[in-house]
Amino acid sequence: MDDGEGRDGARGSVVDMGVYHDRYWLADTYTGLPIVDLQHVDDDEAGDLDAAGTAWRLWTYDDEDFAEHLRRFLLTVDTGRVRAILVQEWGQDTGSEVVVEQLAEHAAELPGLRSIFLASESEHVRISWIRHGDVTPLLEAFPALERLDVRGNGPRHGGEGGLRFRPVRHESLRMLRFESGGLSPEIVRAVGESDLPALEHLDLWLGRAWYGGGATPEDLSGVLRGDRLPALRHLGVRNSEIQDEMAAAVVTAPVVPRLRTLGLGLGTLTDRGAESLLSGHPLTHLTHLDLAHHYLTGPMMDRVRQALPGVEVNLNERRSPGPDSTHHVAVSG
């Protein structure tokens, strides 16, 4: 488990605005383990590697390709000891539905699996083009899973299908992250309706309505009550085009006093939202407040720092409104 801000080497999770573009690249580690591309090693080499000390990157270009790739993985690696898997590289014509189905089908052969990242690294695939279906079967098939990261939300512009998540009870999950240019309100509500007694870290990138987002503070109410998330210590409500309203809702929420770190960056936060942060629950108990990518004025930035002298406040990436006073989220298309 990382320190609450995703600093485990998975770029795009780190609070470093230099990597927040419409495309993301992973570094060399995931959950602190070195990443090995199965397609870049032969069978003998794969069999000799430390299965438990490696984050295994599997690839899919189409449905049949992933089934074959997974079959090779199961035959060459001691999968009983595997702890982390990343599945990458699909685009507009393929999605993660078969990936989820295949991993769930072979769950008995992966008893030690604790972390899964569904992502993409293609320079041709923007975040809202990464297609997904229902990812809930991963939690149902892997009751010992501790971390689930999902990048993408496709299809584009309100088309059929797209990322789905159903309310679920899971006893072991400690980290849940949705990196999205448009996270549907249904998913946000489903997270709040889920019983996740071990969950410590939750990150929701809400994105734009144009890309399937549009969540409101009311959709977030289950998360903000926190009654189904008793262990929560980090909350990220990021990348919203109504970040001022989100900040006002978060800072008055029952869940806030138990948090150690809070992320409200990547969105359209202005002085109005920052004023709410200074007038809700005191945030002086936090160790870190991430507001990176914001629209605060200089005087308001000074006020925030002065009000939180013992808190590490990330105010990087100050933005200026565009033409016609437009404000943009950091991650969308």
Side-chain angles (χ1 to χ4, degrees):
M1 182 62 73
D2 62 34
D3 65 2
E5 284 300 318
R7 295 185 181 89
D8 59 4
R11 293 182 64 184
S13 305
V14 181
V15 181
D16 172 1
M17 295 308 302
V19 303
Y20 283 119
H21 301 291
D22 286 341
R23 297 192 297 265
Y24 299 89
W25 302 91
L26 291 172
D28 298 326
T29 64
Y30 172 55
T31 67
L33 301 176
I35 297 172
V36 170
D37 289 314
L38 184 65
Q39 67 175 7
H40 293 159
V41 296
D42 60 31
D43 289 357
D44 289 340
E45 184 181 359
D48 291 339
L49 290 171
D50 179 7
T54 299
W56 295 91
R57 176 152 46 201
L58 309 182
W59 295 79
T60 176
Y61 299 98
D62 57 50
D63 295 344
E64 293 181 3
D65 178 75
F66 181 74
E68 176 60 26
H69 201 50
L70 181 61
R71 185 188 70 82
R72 180 194 168 213
F73 180 60
L74 295 171
L75 289 174
T76 58
V77 175
D78 182 3
T79 55
R81 300 179 62 242
V82 168
R83 297 187 60 82
I85 286 177
L86 306 87
V87 186
Q88 294 182 236
E89 199 60 54
W90 57 84
Q92 299 180 62
D93 298 323
T94 58
S96 66
E97 293 94 334
V98 170
V99 171
V100 171
E101 176 184 304
Q102 288 281 311
L103 287 176
E105 181 178 330
H106 293 280
E109 297 163 83
L110 295 160
L113 189 61
R114 297 295 181 266
S115 302
I116 298 175
F117 197 156
L118 301 180
S120 178
E121 279 191 329
S122 172
E123 63 180 357
H124 306 294
V125 180
R126 294 154 69 97
I127 193 167
S128 291
W129 297 0
I130 304 170
R131 291 185 52 204
H132 292 288
D134 187 358
V135 298
T136 322
L138 292 176
L139 296 180
E140 295 169 335
F142 294 96
L145 196 71
E146 295 178 357
R147 175 169 180 171
L148 176 62
D149 301 79
V150 181
R151 175 176 297 165
N153 53 279
R156 300 181 66 199
H157 308 334
E160 294 296 323
L163 178 65
R164 299 189 302 284
F165 182 81
R166 293 177 278 106
V168 65
R169 180 173 179 84
H170 195 282
E171 301 285 348
S172 303
L173 195 68
R174 297 173 61 194
M175 178 181 287
L176 178 62
R177 300 183 64 258
F178 287 104
E179 297 181 356
S180 171
L183 194 64
S184 77
E186 291 78 13
I187 292 175
V188 176
R189 291 196 297 270
V191 172
E193 294 166 4
S194 295
D195 290 305
L196 303 172
L199 195 73
E200 300 171 2
H201 182 121
L202 175 63
D203 251 309
L204 303 172
W205 295 15
L206 302 179
R208 298 178 56 201
W210 176 252
Y211 288 98
T216 66
E218 183 177 352
D219 295 316
L220 200 64
S221 61
V223 169
L224 297 183
R225 285 195 303 272
D227 46 3
R228 293 186 171 95
L229 306 171
L232 197 67
R233 297 298 178 264
H234 167 82
L235 175 62
V237 179
R238 310 180 192 267
N239 202 46
S240 173
E241 55 189 349
I242 57 167
Q243 197 71 50
D244 286 346
E245 288 83 351
M246 289 298 179
V250 169
V251 79
T252 58
V255 75
V256 168
R258 78 172 81 130
L259 299 179
R260 297 195 187 102
T261 57
L262 175 63
L264 293 169
L266 304 185
T268 60
L269 188 73
T270 70
D271 283 8
R272 181 165 64 91
E275 192 71 54
S276 297
L277 295 179
L278 300 178
S279 58
H281 284 302
L283 300 179
T284 51
H285 66 291
L286 297 177
T287 61
H288 187 92
L289 173 64
D290 173 30
L291 303 179
H293 187 283
H294 60 84
Y295 291 84
L296 306 189
T297 63
M300 180 56 77
M301 292 170 67
D302 290 339
R303 284 186 59 194
V304 171
R305 292 190 185 101
Q306 292 166 8
L308 302 171
V311 181
E312 180 187 356
V313 182
N314 184 353
L315 287 165
N316 293 344
E317 280 294 298
R318 178 185 175 190
R319 314 296 292 180
S320 298
D324 303 320
S325 299
T326 54
H327 297 71
H328 299 285
V329 299
V331 182
S332 56

